[in-house]
Amino acid sequence: MDIGTAILIIGFAALVAAFLLLVIGLVYAELMNSDIPRGVANSGKLHMVHGLFVGLAIVGRILDRLGICQQVNFVRWFVACFLTRLRPVPAGLRVKDLKFSEVPVRLYEPTAMCDGLRRGLVYFHGGGWVLGNIDSVDEVCRHIAKESETTVVSVGYRLAPEHRYPAQLDDCETALCHFLSVAEAEFSVDANRVAVGGDSTGANMAAALCQRLARTEVGRLPFPCAQVLIYPTLQMADFNLPSYQQNHAVPILFRGRMAFYFLQYLNGDVSLCQDLLEGIHVPTELKPSYKEWLSPSNLPPEFLARGHSEIATAQYDAEVYHAIKAGLEHEVSPLLADDAAVRKTPPTFILTCEYDVLRDDGILYRKRLLDLKKDVTWRHVADGFHGVINFFNHGWLTFPSAAHVVDSVVDYMRTL
């Protein structure tokens, strides 16, 4: 080996070492900003998972700034290649990849004998409208389908930033309506026993879709028999609810990140994140009704025990409002819909997790539904955190509370 080659090798090794040290330093700094309460089950594992995702985000950001690839594409690629594993289809289940009116779906059909038609569930994955896909909830959908003897349709809707609102919701509606139109003839499913559901932003779209269908009152297809909302995000008016304050730095969803995802969904202008967090996007005339629905006094006392502070009313900025006004409409913020729309929603299953910034969204929606005499089933996971369902049956990444979440859905589906 000549001297020039040796110098090149040494220089490259030094560059790699410097890069790794930079990443490690940035990951360490981010980890110091996180807060994992003692009540979280498997907190040590959550620290490791959080560190992994922070590292992915940092490497992706560096690659983005170097012009090598976009951050979101790097994260999607890494998760698909290294954190997603599709197992062989178990006995008792048939799985097919299909397209419903050009929207990719994955169908899960129990093969056990059934007297009559089966029930169905059309499921929308979470991921901030930016991440996630059919594969990311494959284990969840398999378990629900097999254990509750339900035909499950998992929808691969389009994602931001490539596609903005309402593309994602439109895809979900297209897939649902297609399934309802052929449920009995092609899949031996009773169209009158088809529920919609999802986790996180997928649950947002399930709730929004029920309200959209109720408003349009399309009579030729049955209305969903239930909505299954797993730690749903339901409003972007108030990022200072007690759960946002108490869990602002609890992985894997920080307070500021939720504002980022809403903006990615709507228009991609993430420079407005701080404005959303401060609340200057809410018009003065809308604040009284929002306060009625979002007041901490509507929460059970135990959810105030970890403390919260009253935040001074922010000065309204009309320019910010007009940039994000679609986000305060019922199709993005179902919790903020008028009583007439909420009253038309089907029976509801809501699951919340204690250590989740979105906890209060679900609890407050439950109260609105109950106040309107609607049928609501609520389950609360005392040691759960946001995104835990993504770690169901995932080897070393598995969290026991994920099974609690998924089995709660199974139990509810059996009642439909």
Side-chain angles (χ1 to χ4, degrees):
M1 181 186 300
D2 57 34
I3 295 178
T5 302
I7 291 174
L8 281 174
I9 293 173
I10 293 171
F12 178 75
L15 190 63
V16 170
F19 177 79
L20 291 174
L21 285 173
L22 173 64
V23 171
I24 291 170
L26 291 172
V27 169
Y28 179 78
E30 288 288 335
L31 288 176
M32 291 302 99
N33 291 327
S34 68
D35 174 29
I36 300 181
R38 291 182 179 180
V40 176
N42 304 96
S43 58
K45 185 186 291 187
L46 183 55
H47 269 295
M48 290 192 299
V49 169
H50 178 51
L52 172 62
F53 282 108
V54 168
L56 282 178
I58 289 171
V59 172
R61 194 183 313 154
I62 293 171
L63 294 176
D64 198 339
R65 291 183 178 177
L66 291 174
I68 296 173
C69 71
Q70 290 187 332
Q71 181 189 42
V72 66
N73 289 334
F74 171 76
V75 174
R76 289 173 184 167
W77 169 82
F78 188 95
V79 171
C81 291
F82 300 103
L83 299 181
T84 304
R85 182 179 61 175
L86 296 181
R87 304 172 190 267
V89 177
L93 201 62
R94 181 167 51 245
V95 179
K96 302 176 187 174
D97 286 334
L98 304 169
K99 283 196 174 181
F100 285 175
S101 301
E102 300 307 312
V103 177
V105 301
R106 182 169 293 162
L107 183 77
Y108 302 83
E109 294 180 290
T111 58
M113 292 295 294
C114 176
D115 294 330
L117 301 174
R118 292 192 187 278
R119 66 177 72 85
L121 170 66
V122 178
Y123 192 90
F124 312 133
H125 66 80
W129 301 286
V130 173
L131 303 170
N133 53 35
I134 291 173
D135 290 344
S136 63
V137 290
D138 185 71
E139 287 290 336
V140 171
C141 291
R142 289 183 182 198
H143 188 81
I144 294 172
K146 187 174 181 182
E147 297 304 318
S148 68
E149 296 186 350
T150 299
T151 296
V152 176
V153 176
S154 180
V155 180
Y157 56 84
R158 288 171 288 175
L159 299 174
E162 295 88 349
H163 305 278
R164 307 291 183 191
Y165 166 81
Q168 292 84 345
L169 189 59
D170 289 346
D171 284 355
C172 293
E173 180 182 18
T174 296
L176 171 63
C177 290
H178 180 102
F179 183 61
L180 289 172
S181 68
V182 300
E184 181 173 349
E186 296 186 14
F187 303 110
S188 298
V189 169
D190 183 351
N192 292 299
R193 296 173 65 208
V194 173
V196 293
D199 60 283
S200 189
T201 50
N204 169 281
M205 291 189 292
L209 186 52
C210 285
Q211 292 188 13
R212 174 189 278 191
L213 294 174
R215 287 175 186 265
T216 56
E217 295 184 345
V218 179
R220 63 183 182 84
L221 293 173
F223 193 66
C225 71
Q227 53 182 350
V228 178
L229 312 180
I230 304 168
Y231 42 71
T233 176
L234 296 170
Q235 57 84 29
M236 61 168 283
D238 191 347
F239 293 87
N240 291 295
L241 293 171
S243 61
Y244 269 108
Q245 294 184 35
Q246 296 164 5
N247 303 310
H248 70 280
V250 177
I252 55 175
L253 181 63
F254 283 14
R255 172 174 173 260
R257 201 64 181 171
M258 194 62 245
F260 169 86
Y261 285 135
F262 269 117
L263 290 168
Q264 286 286 14
Y265 186 33
L266 293 173
N267 56 30
D269 187 359
V270 296
S271 68
L272 300 176
C273 272
Q274 190 58 37
D275 296 328
L276 263 62
L277 295 177
E278 293 175 2
I280 68 174
H281 61 298
V282 179
T284 304
E285 63 271 20
L286 294 179
K287 288 181 180 178
S289 59
Y290 290 178
K291 185 175 182 181
E292 177 186 354
W293 298 329
L294 302 177
S295 171
S297 64
N298 291 331
L299 297 168
E302 60 266 30
F303 295 105
L304 305 177
R306 290 198 285 136
H308 76 286
S309 302
E310 289 291 335
I311 304 298
T313 303
Q315 175 106 25
Y316 168 58
D317 188 317
E319 185 177 346
V320 176
Y321 166 69
H322 285 290
I324 59 84
K325 62 181 180 180
L328 298 178
E329 298 293 332
H330 65 95
E331 288 197 349
V332 177
S333 293
L335 177 52
L336 306 182
D338 55 46
D339 284 352
V342 177
R343 190 175 282 113
K344 292 179 179 179
T345 55
T348 303
F349 171 86
I350 297 175
L351 185 138
T352 55
C353 289
E354 177 63 27
Y355 302 105
D356 179 5
V357 293
L358 302 179
R359 180 196 69 201
D360 295 347
D361 280 26
I363 297 173
L364 292 170
Y365 197 46
R366 169 181 177 261
K367 184 177 189 306
R368 285 209 66 194
L369 291 165
L370 290 175
D371 287 347
L372 295 170
K373 310 302 180 185
K374 301 298 295 182
D375 181 13
V376 185
T377 299
W378 175 44
R379 296 290 179 268
H380 183 67
V381 183
D383 61 353
F385 57 91
H386 190 84
V388 69
I389 201 171
N390 295 311
F391 305 103
F392 172 73
N393 201 18
H394 270 265
W396 69 273
L397 284 173
T398 298
F399 284 81
S401 52
H404 183 180
V405 172
V406 179
D407 285 336
S408 295
V409 175
V410 168
D411 292 342
Y412 180 74
M413 289 303 303
R414 286 173 175 162
T415 69
L416 301 180

